[in-house]
Amino acid sequence: MMNRCGLLTVNKEPVPLKSIEVELEVRDHVATVVSTLNYENKEDKPVEAVFVFPLPGDAAVCHFSAKLGQTQIVAEVKEKQEAREEYDDALSSGQQAFLLEESQQSPDIFSLSVGSLPPGESASIRLEYVTELAVQADDGLRFSLPAVLNPRYQPQGSEGSSVQVTSVPASLVPYSLSLSARVSSARPVSKVESSCSLDPLQYLNTDQTQATIKLSAGHKFDRDVELLIYYKDAHQPTAVVEAGQASAKQGSLMGDPVVMVSLYPEFPQSVMSTVASRGEFVFLLDRSGSMGCSLNNREHGETRISSARDTLLLLLKSLPMGCYFNIYSFGSSFEHIFPKSVEYSQQTMEEALKKVEEMDANLGGTEILMPIRHIYSQPCIPNQPRQLFVFTDGEVGNTKEVVDLVKRNSGSHRCFSFGIGEGASSALINGLAKEGGGHAQFITGTDRMQPKVMQSLRFALQPAVVDVSVTWDLPKGVSVTALSPPITALFQGQRSLIYAQLTGQSSEAAEGSVTVKYSLAGHPSQNQLNFSFKPAEDTGLTVHRLADRTLIRSLEMEEREKREEKDGVKKKVVELSVQSGVSSSFTAFIVVNKTDGEAIQGPLLRRNIPTRSMYLCSAAAPAGFMACRRRRCTPMQGFSVLPQPAQPHLRAGGSPLEQQELVSQMKCLRKPVMSLINAGAKSRLSGRHSFEQQLGSRYPDVSLNDDGATASQSPRDPLLQLVSLQKASGCWQLDPALAAALGKTSEEVEKSKPALVNNEGWATILALIWLHGFKMDAKEEWELLAMKAVSWLRAQNALRVTDCVDAGNALLGSSVQKDALGL
């Protein structure tokens, strides 16, 4: 199938997609999503529309149909090449056809081709998928409808072709979006929150186990639609048995019952209160051009790269003495602070922080594969388990290559991943964590990066769970086939899902159990869950489809690994996908309208439906700057192609086109600023004050250094200011910088110090009192470094803790108890 390109719609040319309607049904931690895309051809010629859009990376697309007038046609799942040929043949013969296919490079990108839509006619496309909802740090369940699709950077030399995306600002997206959700659970629904505007939550019954919510009208497409759903007592293990499909053959996956087990392991508090003092912590930071964009979609908001720098400060201050660490950063190339991981000390920490302060989003594209390969090529340090932390806005086209590499090295490390900003690839972020035995986090909307990252650091510092095994106790005559890959990681408070096929006869009154055994800190432990064989009602084959998707994903990865057997594995995936009706990378949904009717005459106009791209780069360009992507196209009959640059794969912040656009935008800003600077220089020192006032009123983000150069005004957060002064050992020094961070003078701090107390002990207790007294809302961010400070204080045997706490409260105007400090 040739690479189709359409006219860009920056001139507001009419496109056929008119509106998108989304109906969401959430049952406990599983979501069923039905999207209806309404097309209308307002042009005077027949068109073919191509709409590239994102879906959750682990979604199971299970239904696709088209409604043309009063005729409803349900799609078939076929091998991808066969489906493409059928689609092209239909268009060649003047028939209407629709093709839905998953990207070969990334499972969270789909393209929908709507072929031969006559002038003045409408069509409705219905797309349905099911997905699991991830558990967040605050126990909420996260549903994300990606309304933002950033252009994916395709590294040179990587497999396959890049996903084609037409991106426009939110104001030019020519279609509307509506979303309604119904939430139900065995436990009451506490609340539903969102980064987007919602209508009030409506409860449907008195026990509040069912509720509805709607997205407020007028969604601007400037962010993903994210819902956070909270249940009371959410962390309860459950097992759901779903009956097989009546029309399917018994013994097949669709014909047999399938059980979905949701486990929340609880570890002994005595073990969880300990923090590992060993480990090799490797931090990998994205410094591509897009990391200069605003983190929270505000014109003058904090950028992704600046938030990442602050996060690295907290991480480095929170590391335990005795561990090893290194920091890598990447774009089109990659850098590392140390040639190899070094032991954590005051000297190495200071050296690393100095380099971190200099990091900016200036390394071009998003070549994440190279630095990860280099990290894995470094020999592991004996008795220092490797923990990899990856920070990226996730806009890459070679997702599967990256995830496969992490899986091949999963035996030697754990990987924690962080998707920064709107449009980060869920397939990449979730895939890194899943295959690396770690945990994934997304930072979107008004989220702060720091608390989410520190939660993952706490996971990394937990004792490692090893020797995980799953055993089943089932009625006689019933056997079980595991459909999920083996569990490799268990974390306190995090859900683990297990899918299994149940074969054989049993009564609905029968019961079974599943037991997960593991070793934690040298102690054998287990969690057991009993369940009934009585099938759940009205599940609509949701569990089967999620199980199918899990098995398909495992087989796809196996196909990429086993070159000798890849044809056999691919055939198995195609058979499973066709039988279950669930999407895969080797199949596609095809609809052809074969009803009798007049063939559509004339050449087709190609139209790429634009997707909102998230590129508000306050650090790199003025508001409204758009990273426009164009690719080499094949001219087609009746279709004029815009001139294309010779380079087919363009990177964020690095392409000639983008550089040209960026330079022209910056020139617009530079000219008035430089005129003001020149005027200020002529006025010398006498006019400097008025010049600064003039400059500040027109450009609030620009100020002058003493030498007249422009500088960014960004007063440091008081918490980060205090944290930056902590030593690697956990203590603080008594100096003017600490006094200033506490809002006091050096004289006040010195005068309040109890007699016979050393300076570092007094300074450390003051810092702890300030944290507990004034920053409890950010406790997740400083808790680990405070624990390190407490450990240091406990080693100071002669310290008069009670006197210091009393004096510190008097000085700072707080009332923190000694026990609250952990002393």
Side-chain angles (χ1 to χ4, degrees):
M1 191 177 189
M2 63 180 62
N3 180 26
R4 296 189 173 89
C5 262
L7 293 173
L8 301 179
T9 57
V10 291
N11 295 325
K12 299 186 180 181
E13 290 190 36
V15 294
L17 183 59
K18 185 178 180 183
S19 63
I20 301 176
E21 301 165 6
V22 178
E23 297 176 9
L24 167 66
E25 182 172 356
V26 177
R27 295 192 178 193
D28 291 316
H29 57 267
V30 173
T32 301
V33 184
V34 178
S35 296
T36 303
L37 292 81
N38 299 304
Y39 289 85
E40 181 180 2
N41 182 11
K42 293 184 178 181
E43 304 190 37
D44 58 2
K45 292 189 173 86
V47 300
E48 178 193 16
V50 180
F51 182 39
V52 179
F53 60 99
L55 287 179
D58 56 356
V61 178
C62 53
H63 176 88
F64 178 51
S65 61
K67 186 175 182 181
L68 307 166
Q70 299 302 312
T71 305
Q72 183 86 13
I73 311 170
V74 178
E76 298 178 78
V77 178
K78 296 186 176 183
E79 191 275 328
K80 184 174 284 188
Q81 188 58 36
E82 179 186 350
R84 288 173 173 175
E85 291 173 359
E86 185 173 342
Y87 176 80
D88 287 339
D89 290 345
L91 297 194
S92 298
S93 61
Q95 293 177 311
Q96 290 174 299
F98 306 85
L99 181 72
L100 177 71
E101 53 185 320
E102 177 186 310
S103 163
Q104 199 70 34
Q105 283 72 48
S106 185
D108 61 344
I109 303 298
F110 283 76
S111 63
L112 171 60
S113 300
V114 178
S116 296
L117 193 61
E121 286 207 10
S122 300
S124 292
I125 303 297
R126 181 183 172 95
L127 172 70
E128 181 177 335
Y129 66 87
V130 293
T131 186
E132 304 156 357
L133 303 185
V135 182
Q136 301 302 288
D138 59 358
D139 298 339
L141 295 173
R142 179 180 184 266
F143 167 77
S144 178
L145 179 72
V148 174
L149 174 59
N150 290 334
R152 298 295 167 91
Y153 172 68
Q154 183 76 12
Q156 295 291 342
S158 59
E159 299 174 4
S161 59
S162 180
V163 175
Q164 172 198 325
V165 181
T166 302
S167 304
V168 297
S171 60
L172 296 185
V173 173
Y175 47 89
S176 61
L177 171 68
S178 63
L179 180 143
S180 61
R182 181 187 177 102
V183 182
S184 60
S185 173
R187 296 168 294 281
V189 181
S190 300
K191 60 181 176 178
V192 178
E193 296 178 345
S194 177
S195 58
C196 303
S197 179
L198 298 176
D199 290 345
L201 185 70
Q202 301 289 329
Y203 288 106
L204 302 180
N205 54 6
T206 55
D207 59 5
Q208 298 186 343
T209 58
Q210 297 182 29
T212 59
I213 194 81
K214 286 184 179 181
L215 182 68
S216 298
H219 180 65
K220 297 301 183 183
F221 286 93
D222 58 351
R223 68 197 69 178
D224 294 351
V225 179
E226 182 181 74
L227 298 181
L228 294 173
I229 302 164
Y230 297 85
Y231 302 129
K232 293 180 181 176
D233 302 320
H235 283 196
Q236 299 297 321
T238 59
V240 176
V241 175
E242 183 178 76
Q245 195 172 22
S247 59
K249 180 182 177 182
Q250 281 196 344
S252 67
L253 178 52
M254 293 303 294
D256 282 346
V258 168
V259 59
M260 175 178 65
V261 179
S262 177
L263 296 173
Y264 290 89
E266 292 292 333
F267 300 148
Q269 184 59 35
S270 58
V271 175
M272 299 313 299
S273 60
T274 61
V275 174
S277 59
R278 297 181 303 160
E280 178 195 7
F281 297 88
V282 181
F283 305 109
L284 177 59
L285 175 63
D286 188 344
R287 288 174 57 193
S288 62
S290 55
M291 286 290 288
C293 296
S294 169
L295 177 66
N296 296 326
N297 192 31
R298 293 193 179 96
E299 185 173 338
H300 299 294
E302 182 180 26
T303 62
R304 300 172 185 180
I305 191 69
S306 64
S307 182
R309 286 195 299 263
D310 291 343
T311 302
L312 283 173
L313 167 66
L314 284 170
L315 283 167
L316 289 175
K317 295 292 183 176
S318 301
L319 291 179
M321 297 294 287
C323 74
Y324 287 73
F325 79 102
N326 202 352
I327 299 175
Y328 287 72
S329 57
F330 69 95
S332 299
S333 59
F334 71 91
E335 302 173 357
H336 43 69
I337 292 182
F338 305 105
K340 61 180 182 180
S341 293
V342 296
E343 188 170 358
Y344 179 71
S345 67
Q346 182 65 29
Q347 179 181 344
T348 56
M349 182 190 75
E350 287 180 351
E351 186 177 345
L353 285 173
K354 184 178 180 181
K355 296 288 181 64
V356 167
E357 284 296 319
E358 299 169 355
M359 290 181 176
D360 209 344
N362 55 1
L363 291 186
T366 315
E367 292 270 13
I368 193 173
L369 201 60
M370 293 189 301
I372 293 181
R373 277 182 179 149
H374 181 82
I375 290 168
Y376 291 150
S377 72
Q378 303 299 304
C380 292
I381 302 171
N383 300 316
Q384 301 286 349
R386 179 173 287 169
Q387 315 270 9
L388 175 62
F389 285 65
V390 180
F391 302 85
T392 178
D393 50 12
E395 298 156 17
V396 300
N398 59 339
T399 299
K400 291 179 181 178
E401 286 183 82
V402 176
V403 172
D404 287 352
L405 178 62
V406 171
K407 180 178 173 60
R408 288 196 297 272
N409 292 272
S410 59
S412 62
H413 82 300
R414 288 194 294 187
C415 182
F416 298 85
S417 55
F418 307 90
I420 305 170
E422 309 292 344
S425 167
S426 62
L428 176 68
I429 304 305
N430 288 326
L432 289 174
K434 182 178 180 181
E435 301 304 336
H439 183 61
Q441 300 266 26
F442 289 86
I443 298 98
T444 59
T446 58
D447 291 345
R448 281 177 54 79
M449 187 186 304
Q450 290 80 9
K452 293 195 172 188
V453 174
M454 298 310 293
Q455 186 212 25
S456 290
L457 179 59
R458 280 191 288 274
F459 285 156
L461 292 171
Q462 287 180 11
V465 174
V466 296
D467 301 328
V468 183
S469 66
V470 178
T471 57
W472 299 82
D473 184 8
L474 303 175
K476 187 177 181 180
V478 178
S479 60
V480 64
T481 302
L483 304 174
S484 304
I487 296 175
T488 57
L490 290 172
F491 295 108
Q492 174 78 18
Q494 288 300 301
R495 185 187 65 222
S496 296
L497 286 175
I498 302 171
Y499 295 97
Q501 177 181 347
L502 303 174
T503 303
Q505 297 295 323
S506 66
S507 67
E508 291 187 0
E511 290 191 348
S513 68
V514 58
T515 303
V516 178
K517 298 180 179 179
Y518 50 89
S519 179
L520 179 66
H523 301 288
S525 302
Q526 68 177 42
N527 291 102
Q528 181 175 315
L529 177 65
N530 299 318
F531 61 91
S532 169
F533 271 61
K534 183 179 180 180
E537 297 179 358
D538 302 325
T539 54
L541 294 175
T542 299
V543 174
H544 276 76
R545 286 163 175 164
L546 288 172
D548 288 332
R549 188 59 165 158
T550 299
L551 182 56
I552 285 171
R553 282 285 178 248
S554 297
L555 289 171
E556 287 173 338
M557 186 166 285
E558 183 180 334
E559 185 269 345
R560 296 194 295 271
E561 292 175 347
K562 297 184 177 180
R563 298 187 179 276
E564 301 82 6
E565 307 171 26
K566 64 185 308 178
D567 289 339
V569 178
K570 178 179 177 180
K571 182 179 178 182
K572 189 174 180 181
V573 171
V574 171
E575 289 176 353
L576 183 60
S577 178
V578 170
Q579 290 170 8
S580 64
V582 170
S583 59
S584 77
S585 60
F586 302 127
T587 54
F589 287 87
I590 176 71
V591 176
V592 177
N593 184 12
K594 298 180 180 179
T595 58
D596 293 336
E598 186 177 344
I600 298 170
Q601 303 295 324
L604 296 181
L605 295 177
R606 306 281 180 177
R607 291 288 184 261
N608 267 15
I609 310 298
T611 302
R612 162 62 173 145
S613 178
M614 184 62 207
Y615 273 94
L616 181 61
C617 300
S618 59
F625 169 72
M626 179 187 66
C628 173
R629 310 294 173 107
R630 301 177 183 175
R631 307 197 185 282
R632 184 185 295 121
C633 302
T634 304
M636 296 185 176
Q637 187 179 6
F639 170 65
S640 60
V641 181
L642 294 177
Q644 305 298 322
Q647 184 178 343
H649 303 310
L650 308 179
R651 61 178 180 267
S655 74
L657 175 63
E658 290 166 351
Q659 288 174 350
Q660 181 181 353
E661 289 185 1
L662 178 59
V663 168
S664 63
Q665 294 277 4
M666 292 306 290
K667 282 180 178 177
C668 295
L669 176 65
R670 182 175 179 270
K671 187 174 180 180
V673 171
M674 289 307 297
S675 66
L676 282 173
I677 291 175
N678 292 335
K682 291 177 182 179
S683 66
R684 298 185 182 273
L685 291 178
S686 61
R688 179 182 173 88
H689 179 67
S690 60
F691 164 56
E692 287 180 337
Q693 286 183 324
Q694 196 179 5
L695 181 66
S697 64
R698 291 178 62 180
Y699 300 98
D701 281 352
V702 179
S703 64
L704 292 181
N705 289 327
D706 290 339
D707 59 0
T710 58
S712 175
Q713 277 186 334
S714 54
R716 190 158 212 173
D717 176 86
L719 171 61
L720 295 176
Q721 186 177 352
L722 180 71
V723 168
S724 68
L725 300 174
Q726 188 185 29
K727 300 299 180 182
S729 62
C731 70
W732 275 264
Q733 285 187 327
L734 193 64
D735 56 23
L738 175 66
L742 298 174
K744 301 295 178 181
T745 65
S746 295
E747 184 181 1
E748 288 174 318
V749 173
E750 290 277 3
K751 187 177 179 181
S752 302
K753 181 171 74 73
L756 305 178
V757 173
N758 66 59
N759 287 347
E760 288 184 336
W762 171 235
T764 303
I765 286 183
L766 281 178
L768 287 174
I769 291 173
W770 187 88
L771 290 172
H772 282 83
F774 304 104
K775 285 294 177 181
M776 285 300 290
D777 59 332
K779 186 178 180 181
E780 285 183 318
E781 301 178 35
W782 53 260
E783 189 173 25
L784 286 173
L785 60 90
M787 289 172 61
K788 190 160 65 166
V790 169
S791 296
W792 182 88
L793 284 168
R794 284 175 178 163
Q796 313 301 305
N797 297 323
L799 190 65
R800 298 164 56 191
V801 174
T802 301
D803 292 346
C804 287
V805 171
D806 291 342
N809 278 321
L811 173 65
L812 300 176
S814 55
S815 56
V816 177
Q817 300 297 311
K818 183 177 74 171
D819 292 344
L821 300 178
L823 296 172

